[in-house]
Amino acid sequence: MPATARRWDIFCAVIDNFGDIGICWRLSRQLAAEQGIAVRLWVDDLASFNKICPQVDINQTQQNIAGVTITLWSDNTDWQANGIASVVVEALACNVPMPYQQLMAQQDVKPLWLNLEYLSAEAWVEGCHALPSPQPHLALDKYFFFPGFTAGTGGLLQEANVQQLGAQFLADASAQQQFWQQLGVDNHGYYQQKISLFAYDHPKIESLLACWQQPDINTLCLVPEGALANQLMQFYPQLKQHGELVINTLTLKVLPFMPQDDYDKLLFACDINFVRGEDSVIRAHWAAKPFIWQIYRQAEQAHLDKLQAFMQRYCEQMPEDVADNLQEFWLAWNTDSALGERWQKCSAKLAQIAEYNRYWRTALTANGDLASNLVHFVEKKFIMRRNFS
Ligand code: TRH
Protein backbone atom coordinates (compact mmCIF):
# COMPACT_ATOMS: atom_id res chain seq x y z
CA MET A 1 0.00 0.00 0.00
CA PRO A 2 1.41 3.44 -0.78
CA ALA A 3 2.58 5.28 2.32
CA THR A 4 -0.09 7.89 1.61
CA ALA A 5 -2.80 5.28 2.21
CA ARG A 6 -1.53 4.43 5.67
CA ARG A 7 -3.45 7.17 7.47
CA TRP A 8 -7.07 6.26 8.09
CA ASP A 9 -9.87 8.15 9.79
CA ILE A 10 -12.73 6.03 11.11
CA PHE A 11 -15.94 7.82 12.07
CA CYS A 12 -18.23 6.31 14.70
CA ALA A 13 -21.53 7.80 15.83
CA VAL A 14 -22.99 5.95 18.78
CA ILE A 15 -26.72 5.51 18.10
CA ASP A 16 -27.54 3.44 21.15
CA ASN A 17 -26.11 0.46 23.01
CA PHE A 18 -22.56 -0.68 22.38
CA GLY A 19 -22.45 -2.27 18.94
CA ASP A 20 -21.32 0.82 17.03
CA ILE A 21 -18.37 1.58 19.22
CA GLY A 22 -17.69 -2.12 19.82
CA ILE A 23 -17.24 -2.72 16.09
CA CYS A 24 -15.27 0.48 15.41
CA TRP A 25 -12.93 -0.18 18.32
CA ARG A 26 -12.19 -3.72 17.18
CA LEU A 27 -11.59 -2.59 13.61
CA SER A 28 -9.35 0.31 14.65
CA ARG A 29 -7.23 -1.82 16.95
CA GLN A 30 -6.83 -4.55 14.39
CA LEU A 31 -5.84 -2.17 11.59
CA ALA A 32 -3.22 -0.59 13.85
CA ALA A 33 -1.86 -3.84 15.30
CA GLU A 34 -1.92 -6.13 12.28
CA GLN A 35 -1.61 -3.74 9.36
CA GLY A 36 0.55 -0.99 10.85
CA ILE A 37 -1.99 1.65 9.86
CA ALA A 38 -2.13 5.01 11.64
CA VAL A 39 -5.78 5.03 12.69
CA ARG A 40 -7.62 7.97 14.11
CA LEU A 41 -10.97 6.95 15.56
CA TRP A 42 -13.49 9.77 15.71
CA VAL A 43 -16.22 8.98 18.20
CA ASP A 44 -19.05 11.15 19.45
CA ASP A 45 -19.66 9.38 22.78
CA LEU A 46 -16.68 8.70 25.03
CA ALA A 47 -18.88 7.57 27.94
CA SER A 48 -20.17 4.55 25.97
CA PHE A 49 -16.64 3.88 24.78
CA ASN A 50 -15.40 3.93 28.37
CA LYS A 51 -17.83 1.11 29.25
CA ILE A 52 -16.17 -1.33 26.84
CA CYS A 53 -12.67 0.14 27.25
CA PRO A 54 -12.17 1.58 30.74
CA GLN A 55 -8.80 3.15 29.75
CA VAL A 56 -10.74 5.72 27.74
CA ASP A 57 -10.67 8.99 29.66
CA ILE A 58 -13.99 10.67 29.02
CA ASN A 59 -12.46 14.10 29.69
CA GLN A 60 -9.72 13.85 27.07
CA THR A 61 -10.64 15.02 23.61
CA GLN A 62 -7.61 13.19 22.20
CA GLN A 63 -5.80 10.16 23.55
CA ASN A 64 -3.82 7.19 22.32
CA ILE A 65 -4.77 3.65 23.31
CA ALA A 66 -3.50 0.41 21.76
CA GLY A 67 -1.82 2.36 18.98
CA VAL A 68 -5.05 4.11 17.97
CA THR A 69 -5.60 7.85 18.26
CA ILE A 70 -9.03 8.36 19.77
CA THR A 71 -10.54 11.77 19.12
CA LEU A 72 -13.82 13.22 20.30
CA TRP A 73 -16.08 14.09 17.38
CA SER A 74 -18.20 17.04 18.45
CA ASP A 75 -19.99 20.03 17.00
CA ASN A 76 -16.97 22.13 17.96
CA THR A 77 -14.36 20.02 16.19
CA ASP A 78 -12.00 22.15 14.14
CA TRP A 79 -11.68 19.93 11.06
CA GLN A 80 -9.29 22.21 9.26
CA ALA A 81 -6.84 22.14 12.17
CA ASN A 82 -7.04 18.38 12.54
CA GLY A 83 -6.44 17.67 8.87
CA ILE A 84 -7.80 14.73 6.96
CA ALA A 85 -6.64 11.19 6.21
CA SER A 86 -6.09 9.36 2.94
CA VAL A 87 -8.65 6.65 3.73
CA VAL A 88 -11.91 7.62 5.40
CA VAL A 89 -14.33 5.06 6.83
CA GLU A 90 -17.81 6.09 7.88
CA ALA A 91 -19.00 3.23 9.99
CA LEU A 92 -22.53 1.92 10.30
CA ALA A 93 -24.46 4.56 8.44
CA CYS A 94 -23.00 7.58 10.17
CA ASN A 95 -22.25 10.63 8.02
CA VAL A 96 -18.84 12.18 7.73
CA PRO A 97 -19.35 15.82 8.78
CA MET A 98 -19.83 18.22 5.88
CA PRO A 99 -16.74 20.39 6.59
CA TYR A 100 -14.64 17.22 6.51
CA GLN A 101 -16.26 16.19 3.21
CA GLN A 102 -15.43 19.60 1.77
CA LEU A 103 -11.82 19.27 2.89
CA MET A 104 -11.66 15.87 1.21
CA ALA A 105 -12.92 17.35 -2.03
CA GLN A 106 -10.30 20.11 -1.95
CA GLN A 107 -7.32 17.71 -1.94
CA ASP A 108 -5.23 17.21 -5.07
CA VAL A 109 -5.06 13.50 -4.29
CA LYS A 110 -8.55 12.68 -3.12
CA PRO A 111 -9.00 10.39 -0.12
CA LEU A 112 -10.73 7.07 -0.59
CA TRP A 113 -14.07 7.16 1.18
CA LEU A 114 -15.72 3.97 2.41
CA ASN A 115 -19.16 3.40 3.80
CA LEU A 116 -18.81 0.41 6.14
CA GLU A 117 -22.33 -0.94 6.25
CA TYR A 118 -24.38 -2.95 8.75
CA LEU A 119 -24.08 -6.71 8.79
CA SER A 120 -26.65 -8.80 7.00
CA ALA A 121 -26.80 -12.34 5.64
CA GLU A 122 -29.37 -11.36 3.01
CA ALA A 123 -28.60 -12.36 -0.59
CA TRP A 124 -28.63 -8.79 -1.99
CA VAL A 125 -25.54 -7.86 0.03
CA GLU A 126 -23.15 -9.58 -2.38
CA GLY A 127 -24.57 -7.52 -5.25
CA CYS A 128 -23.96 -4.22 -3.44
CA HIS A 129 -20.64 -4.94 -1.77
CA ALA A 130 -17.78 -2.79 -3.13
CA LEU A 131 -20.05 -0.80 -5.47
CA PRO A 132 -19.32 2.90 -5.94
CA SER A 133 -21.69 5.33 -4.30
CA PRO A 134 -21.54 8.39 -6.57
CA GLN A 135 -21.07 11.78 -4.88
CA PRO A 136 -21.40 14.11 -7.88
CA HIS A 137 -21.59 17.26 -5.76
CA LEU A 138 -18.11 16.60 -4.40
CA ALA A 139 -16.37 14.57 -7.11
CA LEU A 140 -15.09 12.07 -4.58
CA ASP A 141 -14.81 8.28 -4.76
CA LYS A 142 -17.00 6.61 -2.19
CA TYR A 143 -17.64 2.86 -1.99
CA PHE A 144 -19.96 0.57 -0.09
CA PHE A 145 -18.22 -2.06 1.97
CA PHE A 146 -20.48 -4.76 3.36
CA PRO A 147 -19.48 -7.21 6.05
CA GLY A 148 -20.95 -10.64 5.48
CA PHE A 149 -20.86 -14.39 5.61
CA THR A 150 -19.74 -15.26 2.08
CA ALA A 151 -16.63 -14.81 -0.03
CA GLY A 152 -18.50 -12.22 -2.11
CA THR A 153 -18.73 -9.83 0.86
CA GLY A 154 -16.21 -8.03 3.07
CA GLY A 155 -16.15 -10.87 5.63
CA LEU A 156 -16.31 -10.55 9.41
CA LEU A 157 -14.16 -8.90 12.04
CA GLN A 158 -11.71 -11.48 13.33
CA GLU A 159 -8.23 -10.82 14.66
CA ALA A 160 -5.51 -13.16 13.42
CA ASN A 161 -4.94 -14.69 16.86
CA VAL A 162 -8.47 -14.85 18.27
CA GLN A 163 -8.95 -18.59 17.88
CA GLN A 164 -5.44 -19.37 19.09
CA LEU A 165 -5.87 -17.22 22.20
CA GLY A 166 -9.22 -18.88 22.90
CA ALA A 167 -7.75 -22.36 22.58
CA GLN A 168 -4.84 -21.44 24.87
CA PHE A 169 -7.27 -20.08 27.44
CA LEU A 170 -9.36 -23.25 27.32
CA ALA A 171 -6.25 -25.39 27.78
CA ASP A 172 -5.05 -23.41 30.79
CA ALA A 173 -6.97 -24.38 33.93
CA SER A 174 -5.27 -21.76 36.12
CA ALA A 175 -6.02 -18.95 33.62
CA GLN A 176 -9.67 -20.01 33.72
CA GLN A 177 -9.69 -20.21 37.50
CA GLN A 178 -8.25 -16.70 37.66
CA PHE A 179 -10.81 -15.43 35.16
CA TRP A 180 -13.74 -16.85 37.09
CA GLN A 181 -12.38 -15.43 40.35
CA GLN A 182 -12.09 -12.04 38.71
CA LEU A 183 -15.82 -12.31 37.95
CA GLY A 184 -16.52 -13.20 41.56
CA VAL A 185 -17.13 -16.90 40.89
CA ASP A 186 -14.94 -18.88 43.30
CA ASN A 187 -16.43 -22.32 42.70
CA HIS A 188 -16.82 -22.50 38.95
CA GLY A 189 -16.20 -26.29 38.98
CA TYR A 190 -19.46 -26.73 40.88
CA TYR A 191 -21.51 -25.74 37.83
CA GLN A 192 -22.19 -28.32 35.12
CA GLN A 193 -23.57 -25.60 32.91
CA LYS A 194 -22.43 -21.99 32.57
CA ILE A 195 -24.49 -19.65 30.45
CA SER A 196 -23.77 -16.05 29.45
CA LEU A 197 -27.01 -14.19 28.87
CA PHE A 198 -26.46 -10.90 27.03
CA ALA A 199 -29.82 -9.87 25.64
CA TYR A 200 -32.48 -7.23 25.35
CA ASP A 201 -35.52 -7.95 27.50
CA HIS A 202 -37.90 -10.86 26.92
CA PRO A 203 -41.41 -11.06 28.42
CA LYS A 204 -41.24 -14.85 28.83
CA ILE A 205 -37.78 -15.03 30.35
CA GLU A 206 -39.03 -16.92 33.43
CA SER A 207 -40.05 -19.86 31.23
CA LEU A 208 -36.41 -20.17 30.21
CA LEU A 209 -35.05 -19.75 33.72
CA ALA A 210 -37.39 -22.52 34.84
CA CYS A 211 -35.62 -24.89 32.42
CA TRP A 212 -32.34 -24.15 34.14
CA GLN A 213 -33.56 -25.38 37.50
CA GLN A 214 -33.41 -29.10 36.81
CA PRO A 215 -32.53 -31.07 39.97
CA ASP A 216 -29.42 -32.76 38.56
CA ILE A 217 -27.63 -29.85 36.86
CA ASN A 218 -26.15 -26.85 38.63
CA THR A 219 -26.40 -23.91 36.28
CA LEU A 220 -24.65 -20.57 36.50
CA CYS A 221 -26.32 -17.85 34.45
CA LEU A 222 -24.31 -14.66 34.03
CA VAL A 223 -26.28 -11.60 33.02
CA PRO A 224 -24.36 -8.43 32.12
CA GLU A 225 -25.90 -5.28 33.61
CA GLY A 226 -28.42 -3.63 31.30
CA ALA A 227 -31.90 -4.23 29.92
CA LEU A 228 -32.35 -7.89 30.73
CA ALA A 229 -30.66 -7.64 34.14
CA ASN A 230 -33.04 -4.78 34.97
CA GLN A 231 -36.00 -6.93 34.01
CA LEU A 232 -34.76 -9.80 36.17
CA MET A 233 -34.10 -7.52 39.14
CA GLN A 234 -37.65 -6.28 38.90
CA PHE A 235 -39.00 -9.79 38.79
CA TYR A 236 -36.74 -11.01 41.61
CA PRO A 237 -36.36 -8.06 44.02
CA GLN A 238 -33.77 -10.09 45.99
CA LEU A 239 -31.48 -9.97 42.97
CA LYS A 240 -29.38 -6.82 43.12
CA GLN A 241 -27.13 -5.02 40.66
CA HIS A 242 -23.85 -6.99 40.57
CA GLY A 243 -25.35 -9.45 43.03
CA GLU A 244 -26.47 -13.05 42.81
CA LEU A 245 -29.53 -15.13 43.57
CA VAL A 246 -29.82 -18.88 43.97
CA ILE A 247 -33.10 -20.42 42.80
CA ASN A 248 -32.97 -24.20 43.28
CA THR A 249 -30.08 -25.37 41.10
CA LEU A 250 -29.85 -22.09 39.19
CA THR A 251 -27.51 -19.30 40.26
CA LEU A 252 -28.29 -15.98 38.60
CA LYS A 253 -25.49 -13.45 38.69
CA VAL A 254 -25.62 -9.87 37.43
CA LEU A 255 -22.19 -8.88 36.14
CA PRO A 256 -20.81 -5.37 35.86
CA PHE A 257 -20.16 -4.41 32.25
CA MET A 258 -16.66 -5.66 31.52
CA PRO A 259 -13.87 -4.63 29.16
CA GLN A 260 -14.39 -5.98 25.67
CA ASP A 261 -11.47 -8.44 25.84
CA ASP A 262 -12.87 -9.92 29.04
CA TYR A 263 -16.30 -10.25 27.50
CA ASP A 264 -14.76 -12.15 24.60
CA LYS A 265 -13.07 -14.46 27.09
CA LEU A 266 -16.39 -15.06 28.81
CA LEU A 267 -17.77 -16.44 25.54
CA PHE A 268 -14.99 -19.02 25.46
CA ALA A 269 -15.41 -19.81 29.17
CA CYS A 270 -19.18 -20.48 29.04
CA ASP A 271 -20.98 -23.53 27.64
CA ILE A 272 -23.81 -21.58 26.02
CA ASN A 273 -23.82 -17.94 24.92
CA PHE A 274 -26.84 -15.73 24.43
CA VAL A 275 -25.67 -12.80 22.34
CA ARG A 276 -27.33 -9.83 20.70
CA GLY A 277 -27.01 -6.99 18.22
CA GLU A 278 -24.28 -7.12 15.64
CA ASP A 279 -20.96 -7.52 17.39
CA SER A 280 -21.31 -10.01 20.25
CA VAL A 281 -22.99 -12.45 17.86
CA ILE A 282 -19.84 -12.54 15.73
CA ARG A 283 -17.64 -13.02 18.76
CA ALA A 284 -19.82 -15.98 19.69
CA HIS A 285 -18.97 -17.48 16.29
CA TRP A 286 -15.28 -17.45 17.14
CA ALA A 287 -15.84 -19.04 20.54
CA ALA A 288 -17.90 -21.67 18.66
CA LYS A 289 -19.98 -22.69 21.69
CA PRO A 290 -23.71 -23.07 21.07
CA PHE A 291 -25.06 -19.54 20.77
CA ILE A 292 -28.49 -17.96 20.64
CA TRP A 293 -28.88 -14.64 18.89
CA GLN A 294 -31.27 -11.87 19.74
CA ILE A 295 -31.16 -9.54 16.78
CA TYR A 296 -31.42 -5.76 17.19
CA ARG A 297 -35.08 -4.85 16.76
CA GLN A 298 -36.10 -2.60 13.90
CA ALA A 299 -39.31 -0.84 12.98
CA GLU A 300 -42.00 -2.90 11.26
CA GLN A 301 -40.25 -6.15 12.20
CA ALA A 302 -37.65 -5.63 9.45
CA HIS A 303 -35.14 -7.45 11.61
CA LEU A 304 -37.06 -10.71 11.25
CA ASP A 305 -36.15 -10.91 7.54
CA LYS A 306 -32.52 -10.45 8.48
CA LEU A 307 -32.84 -13.11 11.13
CA GLN A 308 -34.40 -15.57 8.68
CA ALA A 309 -31.66 -14.88 6.14
CA PHE A 310 -29.00 -15.56 8.74
CA MET A 311 -30.66 -18.72 10.06
CA GLN A 312 -31.00 -20.08 6.55
CA ARG A 313 -27.33 -19.51 5.78
CA TYR A 314 -26.06 -20.70 9.16
CA CYS A 315 -28.19 -23.85 9.23
CA GLU A 316 -27.67 -24.84 5.61
CA GLN A 317 -25.36 -27.78 6.37
CA MET A 318 -26.80 -28.58 9.79
CA PRO A 319 -28.62 -31.91 10.29
CA GLU A 320 -32.28 -31.16 9.66
CA ASP A 321 -33.62 -32.11 13.09
CA VAL A 322 -30.96 -29.98 14.82
CA ALA A 323 -31.70 -27.03 12.55
CA ASP A 324 -35.46 -27.33 13.17
CA ASN A 325 -35.10 -27.28 16.94
CA LEU A 326 -32.55 -24.51 16.92
CA GLN A 327 -34.54 -22.28 14.58
CA GLU A 328 -37.72 -22.81 16.53
CA PHE A 329 -36.04 -21.58 19.68
CA TRP A 330 -34.32 -18.67 17.94
CA LEU A 331 -37.66 -17.54 16.54
CA ALA A 332 -39.31 -17.73 19.94
CA TRP A 333 -36.40 -15.80 21.46
CA ASN A 334 -36.85 -13.07 18.86
CA THR A 335 -40.64 -12.87 18.84
CA ASP A 336 -41.34 -12.73 22.58
CA SER A 337 -42.93 -16.20 22.45
CA ALA A 338 -43.00 -18.95 25.10
CA LEU A 339 -39.60 -20.52 25.54
CA GLY A 340 -39.77 -23.54 27.88
CA GLU A 341 -40.70 -26.42 25.61
CA ARG A 342 -38.67 -25.05 22.74
CA TRP A 343 -35.59 -24.80 24.92
CA GLN A 344 -36.01 -28.43 26.04
CA LYS A 345 -35.93 -29.51 22.41
CA CYS A 346 -33.08 -27.21 21.43
CA SER A 347 -30.93 -28.04 24.45
CA ALA A 348 -31.17 -31.76 23.64
CA LYS A 349 -29.09 -30.92 20.55
CA LEU A 350 -26.39 -28.78 22.18
CA ALA A 351 -23.53 -31.23 21.57
CA GLN A 352 -24.36 -31.40 17.85
CA ILE A 353 -24.69 -27.62 17.68
CA ALA A 354 -21.26 -27.19 19.28
CA GLU A 355 -19.72 -29.58 16.79
CA TYR A 356 -21.43 -27.82 13.89
CA ASN A 357 -20.27 -24.42 15.13
CA ARG A 358 -16.65 -25.49 14.86
CA TYR A 359 -17.24 -26.42 11.24
CA TRP A 360 -19.11 -23.13 10.62
CA ARG A 361 -16.27 -21.14 12.19
CA THR A 362 -13.75 -22.77 9.84
CA ALA A 363 -15.95 -22.08 6.83
CA LEU A 364 -16.30 -18.39 7.74
CA THR A 365 -12.61 -17.97 8.47
CA ALA A 366 -11.87 -19.09 4.91
CA ASN A 367 -13.55 -15.88 3.63
CA GLY A 368 -10.76 -13.75 5.11
CA ASP A 369 -11.33 -11.20 7.84
CA LEU A 370 -12.96 -7.81 7.40
CA ALA A 371 -9.91 -5.68 8.33
CA SER A 372 -7.61 -7.49 5.87
CA ASN A 373 -10.30 -7.44 3.19
CA LEU A 374 -10.72 -3.70 3.67
CA VAL A 375 -6.98 -3.15 3.34
CA HIS A 376 -6.83 -5.24 0.16
CA PHE A 377 -9.74 -3.29 -1.28
CA VAL A 378 -8.02 0.02 -0.53
CA GLU A 379 -4.73 -1.21 -1.98
CA LYS A 380 -6.45 -2.24 -5.19
CA LYS A 381 -8.20 1.10 -5.53
CA PHE A 382 -4.99 3.05 -5.00
CA ILE A 383 -3.12 0.91 -7.52
CA MET A 384 -5.90 1.35 -10.07
CA ARG A 385 -5.88 5.08 -9.55
CA ARG A 386 -2.12 5.24 -10.01
CA ASN A 387 -2.24 3.20 -13.21
CA PHE A 388 -5.27 4.73 -14.83
CA SER A 389 -5.21 8.38 -13.89
O1 TRH B 1 -25.08 -3.37 22.43
P1 TRH B 1 -25.72 -3.99 21.26
O2 TRH B 1 -27.15 -4.24 21.36
O3 TRH B 1 -25.42 -3.12 19.99
C1 TRH B 1 -26.36 -2.83 18.99
C2 TRH B 1 -26.11 -3.57 17.73
O4 TRH B 1 -24.79 -3.52 17.31
C3 TRH B 1 -27.02 -3.04 16.64
O5 TRH B 1 -26.78 -3.69 15.44
C4 TRH B 1 -26.76 -1.56 16.50
O6 TRH B 1 -27.53 -1.04 15.51
C5 TRH B 1 -27.08 -0.93 17.82
O7 TRH B 1 -26.21 -1.47 18.81
C6 TRH B 1 -26.90 0.55 17.77
O8 TRH B 1 -25.01 -5.41 20.97
P2 TRH B 1 -23.61 -5.76 20.30
O9 TRH B 1 -23.62 -5.42 18.86
O10 TRH B 1 -23.32 -7.13 20.64
O11 TRH B 1 -22.56 -4.83 21.01
C7 TRH B 1 -22.17 -5.01 22.33
C8 TRH B 1 -20.71 -4.65 22.49
O12 TRH B 1 -20.39 -4.55 23.86
C9 TRH B 1 -19.78 -5.73 21.92
O13 TRH B 1 -18.66 -5.09 21.33
C10 TRH B 1 -19.33 -6.49 23.16
C11 TRH B 1 -19.30 -5.41 24.17
N1 TRH B 1 -19.42 -5.82 25.58
C12 TRH B 1 -18.41 -5.48 26.46
O14 TRH B 1 -17.40 -4.91 26.06
N2 TRH B 1 -18.57 -5.81 27.78
C13 TRH B 1 -19.65 -6.46 28.25
O15 TRH B 1 -19.74 -6.73 29.46
C14 TRH B 1 -20.67 -6.83 27.31
C15 TRH B 1 -21.88 -7.56 27.80
C16 TRH B 1 -20.53 -6.48 25.99
Side-chain angles (χ1 to χ4, degrees), residues 15-20 22-23 26 51-52 118 198 200 224 256-260 263-264 276-281 296:
I15 311 288
D16 62 359
N17 303 325
F18 302 97
D20 305 298
I23 289 165
R26 287 191 197 285
K51 292 282 276 184
I52 66 163
Y118 283 104
F198 182 40
Y200 310 112
F257 217 77
M258 59 190 95
Q260 202 180 40
Y263 176 70
D264 293 352
R276 74 181 204 193
E278 194 158 313
D279 186 58
S280 53
V281 63
Y296 184 74

Side-chain angles (χ1 to χ4, degrees), residues 89-301:
V89 179
E90 56 183 21
L92 309 162
C94 75
N95 290 313
V96 170
M98 194 45 82
Y100 191 101
Q101 290 186 26
Q102 281 156 353
L103 283 171
M104 285 199 281
Q106 286 162 15
Q107 306 304 306
D108 291 336
V109 181
K110 305 274 188 282
L112 189 63
W113 185 6
L114 302 165
N115 172 3
L116 176 62
E117 273 289 348
Y118 283 104
L119 175 67
S120 172
E122 289 162 299
W124 59 264
V125 165
E126 282 193 352
C128 296
H129 173 59
L131 285 187
S133 159
Q135 307 291 311
H137 61 297
L138 287 168
L140 283 167
D141 294 337
K142 180 174 172 181
Y143 293 90
F144 290 109
F145 201 90
F146 278 85
F149 299 89
T150 60
T153 69
L156 302 167
L157 275 175
Q158 181 180 193
E159 301 79 17
N161 61 1
V162 66
Q163 291 183 38
Q164 192 196 339
L165 288 179
Q168 277 167 5
F169 175 65
L170 290 179
D172 185 343
S174 75
Q176 286 182 63
Q177 171 79 9
Q178 204 186 337
F179 178 70
W180 284 113
Q181 272 173 350
Q182 184 189 318
L183 297 186
V185 179
D186 293 327
N187 55 343
H188 76 98
Y190 168 76
Y191 300 103
Q192 283 88 19
Q193 184 169 249
K194 300 190 197 85
I195 301 173
S196 75
L197 184 54
F198 182 40
Y200 310 112
D201 49 7
H202 194 293
K204 307 270 167 55
I205 187 71
E206 302 92 62
S207 62
L208 184 60
L209 299 186
C211 298
W212 297 339
Q213 296 171 38
Q214 298 156 33
D216 47 343
I217 299 181
N218 296 320
T219 297
L220 175 65
C221 174
L222 299 149
V223 190
E225 66 181 42
L228 188 73
N230 293 342
Q231 191 194 343
L232 291 177
M233 287 187 290
Q234 246 178 10
F235 192 76
Y236 301 110
Q238 317 93 296
L239 181 64
K240 303 286 179 220
Q241 185 78 313
H242 308 164
E244 78 181 40
L245 175 69
V246 179
I247 319 165
N248 304 316
T249 52
L250 170 67
T251 302
L252 272 180
K253 190 169 174 63
V254 178
L255 292 179
F257 217 77
M258 59 190 95
Q260 202 180 40
D261 291 342
D262 284 346
Y263 176 70
D264 293 352
K265 229 182 235 183
L266 181 73
L267 298 179
F268 277 92
C270 286
D271 305 297
I272 305 167
N273 295 308
F274 283 69
V275 282
R276 74 181 204 193
E278 194 158 313
D279 186 58
S280 53
V281 63
I282 297 310
R283 303 321 284 187
H285 282 61
W286 310 139
K289 302 292 181 71
F291 64 89
I292 313 292
W293 184 29
Q294 197 174 35
I295 193 168
Y296 184 74
R297 294 168 193 148
Q298 289 173 289
E300 290 164 21
Q301 309 284 312

